[in-house]
Amino acid sequence: MKEQDQKKLEEMKRLIAEIDKHNKAYYVYDNPLISDKEYDDLYYRLVDLEKETGVVLDYSPTQRVGDGVLEGFAKKKHEVPLLSLNKVRDFDELASWTRDMKKFAPKTKFTLEYKFDGLSLVVEYKNGQFVSATTRGNGQIGEDVSLQAKTIKSLPLQIEFKGHLIVRGEGMITNKNFEKYNKNAIEKLKNPRNAVAGAIRNLDPKETAKRNLDYFCYEIILCEGKAFATQEEMNLFLKENGFKTGGYLKVFNSASEIADEIKKVDEIKNKIDVTIDGMVIKVDQVAPRDEIGYTNKFPKWAMAFKFEAQEVTTMLQDVIWQVGRSGRVTPIAILEPVELAGASISRATLNNIEDIRRKNVYKNSRVFIRRSNEVIPEVMGLAEKFAYSQDIAQPTHCPCCQHELIQKGPLLFCTNHLGCKDQVVDRLAHFASRNAFNIEGLSEKTVGQFYDTLGVRFLSDVFSLTKEDLLKLELFKDKKAEKTIKSIEKSKNIDLDRFLFALGIAEVGRKTARELAREFGSLENIKSANIERLASIRDVGNVIAENIFNFFQNNDNINEIEKLIQAGVKIEEIEKIEVKDSPFSNKTVVLTGTLKSFTRSEAEKIIESLGGKTSSSVSKNTDFVLAGESAGSKLDKAKALGVKIISENEFKEIAGL
């Protein structure tokens, strides 16, 4: 054997050992050490090497379906061996596969279904009665988990069909039930897939029942005396016999149609109440399937398309603590850089010290990282701890000014509000931001110099700055200094909602500030409102109401507002909008693209005057999307969710403009 081939063979052996290790962790102990993406990378590297060398070792994981059976459960042999699904890696491979299928069945269509991420269960019925439930195991022999499966309320124990029936589906937990369980659980669950596996493989069915699982059925393995012409017919039969199927099955003629639909589902997958990690494509016609055939692991007439990973594992190298404008000190995980959802991730959020303890993570440990809807990535929990892993210590002093911290529940605070540079800089940058006073030339970088060189500590100090002051700073030349002073002067006339947002009241964002301004009309009315009145405002709950009330009870805050007014700030009070009854009443509208007739702010006010409210993101709770020119991903997501889309002209017609 050539030296190059020998090296490839050695790499194959190393990959097999690594994959076997992870198979055992995933399937046997329900404790995955790496993410699905990382596993797929290992697996496909092995597949590629086997193709390159022409060598397939007898013990290669490419030659088997699953792994071992847990001790403690009775073993049960499957009447029909359970195969896995092959995967395409991109839409080009998908197109190639559909062309191959058309050679066998030129007139066939293709079905598209969700690829559930749970635990595979085979369920058997005789004479219309539940007989048993078995895990996939190694594809030949599984574990008898009948008592555990019987706790799943959506799994029928009696069905209309009286012949011998064996079906396959997925044990699942909905995201809603997962969150509900974790809310009260002492030991939090890592993710929905682990929640299901741990429940089904618990020897005490009472513990299984506590997780309130579901069963989604997608395959008929054996159906005595009954034949089906298409996958659609099978799906209908399952529904008629009381099985949940996930509520999604669509039929397409071509690879391009399938690809378009997969992209749409990928956009909205995080809004679906169960975890899916891809889509399953099948030849709809049953007759040609035997001719198309099988490998020893996969049916050739079915294929999986996996979504880009939303979760990976990487090393948590360190934790740093940062202080924000309110004085709250929060931990940030420093990670070994890893690719996730199209971005290189090197930092992730850890909410507070209790979050760190609950997730059981350590410095120099391998952790799960999740990134959903392109938001800040979050550390989800521990994947693997090592001998050199270290506890994460709770800080006692501010990381910026070394002032002693105080603890309120799980949160840490620095109370040195004027002497802590990070707090002051963050407050000033927020105050000057586009949605607040909108002062050009003021950023975190520049206001840091305001603090160091000009002694700026209060928000109101900004309005006493002169051009000569700014010219003392490195970042300001004559033109920029003059422009900034003009912007400061211009900003003194400000709408009430922008002023409220600029104050930096805890958890009061743009939307809440707008609701408060619209409801109360003036700053004095808000200052004098009690907690009950504040909490009655739409989107303002008790916690935010308390934050607002306490802010205006603080003398330092009141004094600062007075200084701002003395400096010439004029707050434009808002006349209470007379809300008209309209098709927008109590509806949520999302704006996207460029509008010709109004600014976005003007459109938002019109919607509010018509009894509606606006949102920045499209979801299943969105009622309308107002689409202007060059509308992008929000419009695509609206189409995928079936949200009503209206043009600018339609909007004007509804609004009577």
Side-chain angles (χ1 to χ4, degrees), residues 391-614:
D391 285 336
I392 298 167
Q394 176 174 327
T396 57
H397 291 78
C398 176
C400 174
C401 67
Q402 300 306 308
H403 192 78
E404 188 172 357
L405 300 177
I406 64 167
Q407 186 165 356
K408 297 178 182 178
L411 306 179
L412 300 172
F413 290 90
C414 171
T415 56
N416 184 21
H417 295 305
L418 297 178
C420 181
K421 179 179 176 179
D422 285 356
Q423 285 188 60
V424 176
V425 167
D426 201 14
R427 281 199 296 273
L428 288 169
H430 175 80
F431 178 80
S433 65
R434 185 178 65 179
N435 294 317
F437 272 75
N438 193 23
I439 301 173
E440 287 186 58
L442 269 66
S443 63
E444 278 197 31
K445 210 170 186 180
T446 54
V447 295
Q449 290 193 345
F450 286 8
Y451 183 96
D452 292 331
T453 306
L454 303 179
V456 171
R457 296 293 182 272
F458 296 95
L459 303 178
S460 53
D461 289 347
V462 170
F463 295 102
S464 63
L465 294 173
T466 64
K467 180 180 176 181
E468 288 68 30
D469 289 329
L470 298 185
L471 289 173
K472 296 174 186 176
L473 308 178
E474 290 178 15
L475 298 172
F476 285 87
K477 301 300 180 188
D478 189 82
K479 190 174 181 180
K480 183 177 179 180
E482 187 173 333
K483 190 175 181 180
T484 300
I485 292 299
K486 285 181 179 178
S487 184
I488 290 172
E489 188 62 31
K490 183 181 177 182
S491 74
K492 288 181 180 179
N493 294 310
I494 187 169
D495 291 339
L496 175 58
D497 59 327
R498 296 169 73 94
F499 182 83
L500 289 171
F501 177 69
L503 293 176
I505 304 169
E507 296 186 71
V508 174
R510 285 185 65 204
K511 188 177 177 183
T512 302
R514 198 159 53 239
E515 290 288 348
L516 290 166
R518 188 177 75 171
E519 184 66 26
F520 289 99
S522 72
L523 184 64
E524 287 304 314
N525 289 342
I526 297 170
K527 285 164 62 177
S528 61
N530 59 30
I531 292 175
E532 185 179 12
R533 175 72 180 96
L534 290 165
S536 69
I537 307 304
R538 182 171 60 180
D539 298 324
V540 177
N542 288 328
V543 172
I544 298 177
E546 285 185 23
N547 291 344
I548 298 166
F549 180 80
N550 291 336
F551 182 91
F552 289 112
Q553 296 302 305
N554 184 299
N555 286 331
D556 289 339
N557 295 333
I558 296 299
N559 290 337
E560 181 64 358
I561 290 170
E562 288 301 319
K563 286 182 184 178
L564 288 168
I565 292 170
Q566 288 169 12
V569 171
K570 295 179 180 178
I571 304 167
E572 297 290 330
E573 297 187 350
I574 294 176
E575 292 184 20
K576 192 171 177 67
I577 298 173
E578 183 183 344
V579 177
K580 304 171 187 175
D581 189 33
S582 80
F584 292 130
S585 296
N586 300 312
K587 303 294 184 183
T588 300
V589 185
V590 172
L591 284 70
T592 184
T594 303
L595 300 175
K596 292 180 178 178
S597 306
F598 336 88
T599 64
R600 187 160 293 201
S601 178
E602 289 169 342
E604 287 173 350
K605 287 178 180 178
I606 293 168
I607 291 165
E608 289 169 2
S609 72
L610 296 170
K613 64 177 182 177
T614 58

Side-chain angles (χ1 to χ4, degrees), residues 95-268:
S96 177
W97 175 78
T98 58
R99 284 195 297 271
D100 288 343
M101 295 302 101
K102 288 282 190 180
K103 292 174 185 176
F104 288 96
K107 295 182 179 180
T108 192
K109 296 180 180 179
F110 299 93
T111 57
L112 189 66
E113 300 169 78
Y114 292 147
K115 184 177 181 297
F116 298 110
D117 189 19
L119 185 73
S120 183
L121 287 177
V122 175
V123 185
E124 184 177 11
Y125 295 84
K126 288 183 179 177
N127 300 316
Q129 301 294 317
F130 171 89
V131 174
S132 66
T134 313
T135 63
R136 188 180 72 174
N138 62 12
Q140 301 288 334
I141 299 172
E143 305 149 355
D144 188 334
V145 290
S146 300
L147 292 176
Q148 288 76 7
K150 286 174 77 171
T151 69
I152 301 174
K153 293 175 183 176
S154 59
L155 177 65
L157 299 182
Q158 295 185 83
I159 60 174
E160 289 292 320
F161 183 71
K162 303 306 178 189
H164 189 193
L165 177 70
I166 302 176
V167 297
R168 183 177 177 183
E170 205 88 352
M172 299 288 292
I173 185 170
T174 63
N175 296 331
K176 184 178 180 181
N177 284 337
F178 175 75
E179 290 168 7
K180 186 177 179 182
Y181 181 91
N182 264 355
K183 190 175 183 181
N184 302 310
I186 296 172
E187 186 175 344
K188 308 296 181 185
L189 300 169
K190 286 183 183 178
N191 55 50
R193 193 268 165 197
N194 277 72
V196 176
I200 295 294
R201 287 171 166 165
N202 195 306
L203 291 169
D204 184 357
K206 290 180 182 176
E207 292 300 314
T208 308
K210 289 179 182 177
R211 297 195 188 173
N212 199 11
L213 304 184
D214 269 296
Y215 181 71
F216 294 93
C217 194
Y218 53 75
E219 183 181 356
I220 297 172
I221 294 173
L222 184 151
C223 189
E224 183 181 43
K226 188 169 180 63
F228 301 94
T230 65
Q231 184 70 28
E232 279 189 287
E233 282 188 18
M234 290 186 191
N235 188 264
L236 180 60
F237 172 84
L238 291 171
K239 289 180 180 178
E240 288 172 345
N241 280 275
F243 292 98
K244 274 189 167 183
T245 62
Y248 180 98
L249 184 143
K250 293 188 178 182
V251 182
F252 298 98
N253 289 304
S254 68
S256 60
E257 291 174 344
I258 297 169
D260 288 343
E261 182 66 16
I262 288 174
K263 290 173 187 175
K264 290 177 182 178
V265 176
D266 194 11
E267 284 282 333
I268 64 165

